[in-house]
Amino acid sequence: MFRHRSGLRPGGRRARVVLRALFPALLGLALLTPSAEAAPRQPSPSQAAAPATDGPLGEPTVTPLGTFGGIPYVRYDGVFEGRTSTGRFRVPYRISAPKDPRRTNGTVLVEPSHFAVGLLTLNGYLRPELLFTRGFVHAGIGWSTFANRILDPSAPGTFIEGGFDEEGARVDDEIITEFGRALSGATETVGKVSRRYVAGFSDSSYPVLRLIASGDASGVFDLAMPFTTDTFDPQADIAAGRYTGKVIVVNSEADDSSTLTDRGVTPKQYRFYAVAGSPHVPDLLDANPPALPVAGTTPATLVPALRAHFLQGHDWVRKGSAPPVSTRLRTLDDGTVVRDARGNAITEDGAGRTVPRLPFVELGEARYITGFLGSYDDVRTVQQLGFANHRAYRRAFDAKVHAYLKARYILPEDARVMRQRAQLCPPSTYAETYRDHYDAFVPVTPCTAH
């Protein structure tokens, strides 16, 4: 049951202000999205027969997704129904899993759907290529009657009777934990489940944090990963024994992290990472949602760190291998962010030692302006950065990438692509290529090919 804690409203402070300002545009996006993502209600000729599924998950339709790292994946679309401690529900779900359930890695990642962009943790931030090549199962779920929070607004007969009212919509976070429990019994679909994780961003991070605060996530989810979020204090919930799993939070520079910065009180269960220069909504390059104006806004992004820290969290749960120490933005006593000579925020660990930032931020290629959407200005050329030529610049860039990789803030595959983008269009730098050759930057294609 959701037990609303005194002083905590359903959503986050910053998100409420921004969403009200952008509500017309975002709602329009939310209403457009289902037409592209809505699950077919009946199998088409290209769809295989769904495995028989008893219980609350019903009998889904199934659609081939392709092969990832030699593992064929399929998508199951169905309706999850049951009762939470406050009322009945009937909501859509969407599971992406190996066609052969024996080929999973035993881990299910549950994602509550975002009101505007649906399952973007899977489709934009972590990406199928990261999850599916490693055998993860992804399971999206509807948890509110507002817009795309229901996951598929076109699904007939959906309803939520319990939970609480939020500006005219029904919200029942407990559906998410009930779904997590139900997945452990759906072996014909998701295989043997040894671990369950939950992740959400911005709007969809708040049910994750509320479930931690209420205690409902404990014993259900081994790892919780809310990101680009604010308001809640999971460290206090862990210290009070309300949650026994691991929590990793990754925030952009734009997010209000005052309640989330690691205070060192629960080091065996909590990590927090801040990414200097990054906006609340990053450019996801070839995974940007339609109609969301983020393409070309800024190359500064939290996505590489998020992907790295997710897999580190997975090892933390599986093997007890601790992730890197938490980071934060350097601030003065009054909370003002300390900036370098180029105007970019400085990142440090809990002891106040500086830690590597994104390579192009470290080199000062531009001043990166954070916000709901990011921007940048004062882009420097190779010569203005003090390098004799592009080869000297590339050596310095590669060294910064290596430092970022050694600090474990980026995966080797993402580091390799970052290096390639810095070399695409000599004599342009990474930031110049993003600004002037975006059509080459995104697909990682040398400018000569255009």
Side-chain angles (χ1 to χ4, degrees), residues 92-160:
Y93 70 83
R94 181 169 298 154
I95 297 172
S96 301
K99 183 178 180 181
D100 180 354
R102 294 171 297 180
R103 301 196 69 179
T104 76
N105 66 5
T107 309
V108 177
L109 174 62
V110 174
E111 178 182 359
S113 186
H114 186 283
F115 93 93
V117 290
L119 304 178
L120 200 62
T121 299
L122 168 66
N123 297 318
Y125 285 97
L126 296 181
R127 307 294 293 275
E129 293 78 9
L130 178 81
L131 296 176
F132 298 166
T133 57
R134 292 170 170 85
F136 285 95
V137 173
H138 178 274
I141 186 66
W143 55 282
S144 165
T145 58
F146 178 66
N148 274 356
R149 285 180 181 172
I150 200 66
L151 181 61
D152 180 6
S154 71
T158 59
F159 63 85
I160 296 174

Side-chain angles (χ1 to χ4, degrees), residues 344-416:
N344 294 316
I346 297 169
T347 313
E348 64 182 18
D349 63 17
R353 298 174 294 230
T354 58
V355 298
R357 298 172 293 178
L358 287 160
F360 43 92
V361 176
E362 286 283 83
L363 290 176
E365 294 187 23
R367 182 173 72 95
Y368 297 95
I369 304 167
T370 181
F372 184 76
L373 301 180
S375 60
Y376 59 108
D377 63 13
D378 194 19
V379 178
R380 300 292 181 92
T381 64
V382 164
Q383 287 73 28
Q384 288 171 328
L385 290 173
F387 298 106
N389 51 47
H390 196 262
R391 178 177 297 178
Y393 160 75
R394 290 203 315 269
R395 285 198 296 267
F397 189 91
D398 288 351
K400 297 300 182 185
V401 172
H402 178 74
Y404 206 55
L405 178 63
K406 186 177 180 180
R408 300 168 65 197
Y409 302 154
I410 191 171
L411 297 173
E413 56 262 44
D414 292 336
R416 181 171 59 253

Side-chain angles (χ1 to χ4, degrees), residues 52-104:
T53 304
D54 297 324
L57 294 182
E59 184 174 340
T61 59
V62 57
T63 307
L65 290 179
T67 299
F68 300 84
I71 306 175
Y73 264 72
V74 293
R75 191 183 83 190
Y76 301 99
D77 291 286
V79 175
F80 177 48
E81 51 187 320
R83 179 184 294 273
T84 68
S85 62
T86 57
R88 296 186 309 128
F89 64 85
R90 188 176 190 273
V91 298
Y93 70 83
R94 181 169 298 154
I95 297 172
S96 301
K99 183 178 180 181
D100 180 354
R102 294 171 297 180
R103 301 196 69 179
T104 76

Side-chain angles (χ1 to χ4, degrees), residues 116-270:
V117 290
L119 304 178
L120 200 62
T121 299
L122 168 66
N123 297 318
Y125 285 97
L126 296 181
R127 307 294 293 275
E129 293 78 9
L130 178 81
L131 296 176
F132 298 166
T133 57
R134 292 170 170 85
F136 285 95
V137 173
H138 178 274
I141 186 66
W143 55 282
S144 165
T145 58
F146 178 66
N148 274 356
R149 285 180 181 172
I150 200 66
L151 181 61
D152 180 6
S154 71
T158 59
F159 63 85
I160 296 174
E161 293 180 346
F164 59 91
D165 179 85
E166 186 178 39
E167 299 183 0
R170 297 306 303 175
V171 177
D172 194 344
D173 302 330
E174 200 178 339
I175 294 171
I176 301 166
T177 51
E178 289 300 311
F179 184 55
R181 292 187 181 96
L183 289 168
S184 290
T187 54
E188 292 185 354
T189 301
V190 301
K192 180 182 178 181
V193 177
S194 301
R195 294 165 293 273
R196 293 172 296 198
Y197 305 159
V198 62
F201 61 98
S202 191
D203 172 70
S204 60
S205 73
Y206 299 120
V208 175
L209 288 163
R210 288 195 297 262
L211 288 168
I212 293 171
S214 70
D216 289 327
S218 195
V220 180
F221 296 116
D222 304 289
L223 171 68
M225 197 163 186
F227 57 100
T228 58
T229 190
D230 60 21
T231 303
F232 293 82
D233 183 3
Q235 294 172 89
D237 301 318
I238 293 170
R242 286 186 287 269
Y243 182 66
T244 57
K246 314 289 189 187
V247 179
I248 296 178
V249 179
V250 181
N251 266 5
S252 74
E253 182 183 330
D255 297 305
D256 178 3
S257 300
S258 56
T259 61
L260 296 160
T261 301
D262 193 345
R263 302 189 298 275
V265 295
T266 56
K268 293 183 179 180
Q269 290 177 256
Y270 186 77

Side-chain angles (χ1 to χ4, degrees), residues 3-28:
R3 293 173 285 276
H4 192 64
R5 292 174 58 195
S6 175
L8 292 181
R9 298 191 218 170
R13 291 188 298 263
R14 182 183 179 282
R16 285 194 300 273
V17 173
V18 171
L19 290 177
R20 285 193 184 104
L22 295 177
F23 184 81
L26 290 175
L27 182 57

